[in-house]
Amino acid sequence: MSQNILVTGGTGYIGSHMVVRLIESGYTPIIFDNFSNSKPAVLDRIEQITGVRPLLVKGDIRNEQELENLFRNHQIDAVINFAGKKAVGESETDPLLYFSYNVEGTIVLLRVMKKFNVKKFVFSSSATVYGDPGYDEFNEETPLAPINNYGLSKWMIEEVLRKLYKAEPDWSIAILRYFNPVGAHESGLIGEDPNGIPNNLMPFISQVAVGKRAHLNVFGNDYPTRDGTGCRDYIHVMDLVEGHLNALDVLSKGPQLLTVNLGTGGSTSVLELIKAFEKASGKKVPYQICPRRAGDKAAYWTNPSLAKTLLGWTAKRDIETMCKDTWNWQSKNPQGYPD
Ligand code: WQD
């Protein structure tokens, strides 16, 4: 029998790609989302790709009543929690928003799961929980020291999950720490559709390439890296969600708490990404060098070996594919999803 997987934030960037892969893998996803940073049109696109229109329940993970109704009405086998806020800058100006959505929301969700005896949980964490340890290759033992409220909110939930598992070892929990997710489904029907001016590099580059913005600001070219610009471990969103499928498989073996980084193990500089994107799109990406952005580290990437050992997973898609798929989505949807 197909397992029902509750996907909170399932109409968002990563959540929508997860829903597609879940359907393709024989699961039945149930989306719970309040559309705070997404549009209902995503559902049409998921249906176009998979031939299945996933069930959507509109709601907020901070609303215990809404969640209880959902769990009462649907038998749930596992929960993947993508619902949350994710902009570092905004987390500094509005910390309560971040602690409310991310921390409070996740605690409410866990409480309802416990009430309905659903104890399989996959959590979207982030490399931002590491801060700057003084070296560039992070593994899961790298000390946790978040340097912004977004990272702090992820760390706080991780702590909640560790304490929960210690007290109640019948839970099966996967904490997945993402590096820099980019790219889109190969159909170009779903992808990242940021609100307003993108904070992150890849959506900014693709909006410049499509003519929506005049040029890219490169935040610093005096870092101690190969070309002076910041280096990151970009990971294709399809690889990322496939990592979650492996995590679900591992969790089904029994109670455990696993914590794994999801990245490629490689790194790409800002200038390298611009070049790769120009090649994939055939478009020029004009840029200007600007001062460094506060809080940025020069370079970091993951050591991907634990993901391979614990999940049997490695990222397969390279930077060219990440750029090609981003461009396919952006060029087919220059204004993002329709309203
Ligand atoms: C990448 C590189 C910038 C924009 C953040 C979060 C992380 C995750 C991903 C999660 C850096 C440079 C960027 C621009 C630029 N978010 N840059 N011009 O900062 O590594 O990670 O996003 O949910 O948790 O911390 O990603 O894409 O913002 O930056 O030169 O307009 O591109 O300085 O070197 P970052 P990013």
Side-chain angles (χ1 to χ4, degrees):
M1 246 251 317
S2 173
Q3 286 189 47
N4 292 338
I5 312 292
L6 175 61
V7 185
T8 72
T11 61
Y13 171 42
I14 301 173
S16 58
H17 290 78
M18 184 80 249
V19 167
V20 165
R21 261 298 181 267
L22 283 168
I23 294 170
E24 289 171 346
S25 306
Y27 291 98
T28 304
I30 298 172
I31 299 175
F32 186 74
D33 205 308
N34 66 356
F35 295 109
S36 67
N37 192 26
S38 61
K39 295 194 181 138
V42 178
L43 293 165
D44 303 331
R45 303 297 182 83
I46 293 172
E47 188 176 1
Q48 259 177 280
I49 295 170
T50 64
V52 173
R53 191 170 187 86
L55 183 67
L56 168 93
V57 177
K58 198 165 179 233
D60 189 310
I61 55 166
R62 294 168 301 176
N63 188 322
E64 197 145 1
Q65 202 51 55
E66 286 176 355
L67 277 173
E68 287 197 3
N69 290 341
L70 169 75
F71 277 76
R72 204 168 288 119
N73 294 333
H74 304 278
Q75 184 258 323
I76 307 285
D77 295 290
V79 178
I80 311 182
N81 186 25
F82 296 105
K85 294 273 163 194
K86 59 163 189 171
V88 172
E90 186 186 42
S91 78
E92 292 298 295
T93 54
D94 196 350
L96 286 182
L97 184 72
Y98 276 67
F99 298 132
S100 168
Y101 260 104
N102 293 5
V103 185
E104 184 189 344
T106 309
I107 291 172
V108 172
L109 174 61
L110 291 166
R111 193 158 56 223
V112 175
M113 287 177 67
K114 178 175 168 169
K115 187 166 175 184
F116 287 84
N117 202 31
V118 178
K119 296 192 166 179
K120 216 182 280 175
F121 188 65
V122 180
F123 175 64
S124 304
S125 189
S126 163
T128 47
V129 296
Y130 294 120
D132 186 357
Y135 49 85
D136 299 339
E137 183 173 279
F138 297 1
N139 64 29
E140 291 76 2
E141 303 301 314
T142 295
L144 303 181
I147 53 171
N148 52 59
N149 290 330
Y150 167 69
L152 187 60
S153 74
K154 292 291 180 184
W155 174 83
M156 288 163 89
I157 305 160
E158 285 200 5
E159 283 292 293
V160 168
L161 292 170
R162 286 187 275 273
K163 304 295 181 207
L164 174 63
Y165 180 69
K166 194 165 171 222
E168 300 179 18
D170 60 336
W171 282 77
S172 296
I173 300 170
I175 295 172
L176 305 179
R177 296 178 179 149
Y178 308 164
F179 280 64
N180 287 57
V182 297
H185 188 265
E186 61 178 6
S187 63
L189 286 165
I190 56 172
E192 187 172 12
D193 181 18
N195 262 337
I197 303 170
N199 295 304
N200 297 116
L201 180 61
M202 184 67 112
F204 209 110
I205 289 179
S206 65
Q207 290 194 4
V208 172
V210 85
K212 219 175 153 182
R213 303 190 187 275
H215 68 271
L216 170 76
N217 293 323
V218 174
F219 298 140
N221 67 347
D222 57 352
Y223 283 108
T225 60
R226 36 189 186 275
D227 59 20
T229 65
C231 291
R232 295 291 183 272
D233 187 344
Y234 297 98
I235 172 173
H236 196 296
V237 64
M238 294 311 298
D239 278 326
L240 186 76
V241 300
E242 285 163 10
H244 292 62
L245 283 183
N246 288 37
L248 272 183
D249 275 350
V250 173
L251 292 187
S252 67
K253 298 198 172 104
Q256 60 191 299
L257 170 68
L258 60 88
T259 305
V260 177
N261 291 346
L262 294 183
T264 65
S267 84
T268 305
S269 75
V270 176
L271 296 182
E272 287 166 348
L273 193 63
I274 294 172
K275 202 165 285 167
F277 202 92
E278 288 184 333
K279 195 166 167 220
S281 64
K283 300 282 176 190
K284 202 75 201 133
V285 178
Y287 65 88
Q288 63 184 35
I289 305 295
C290 297
R292 293 180 178 190
R293 183 172 68 178
D296 270 351
K297 186 172 151 50
Y300 62 89
W301 58 88
T302 187
N303 177 326
S305 54
L306 191 69
K308 187 162 191 198
T309 312
L310 286 188
L311 305 180
W313 171 92
T314 40
K316 297 195 287 276
R317 296 161 179 90
D318 58 14
I319 282 288
E320 285 66 39
T321 308
M322 299 180 212
C323 291
K324 178 171 70 66
D325 290 340
T326 302
W327 178 242
N328 189 31
W329 151 254
Q330 184 73 70
S331 54
K332 286 179 175 159
N333 304 273
Q335 304 305 329
Y337 290 106
D339 282 320

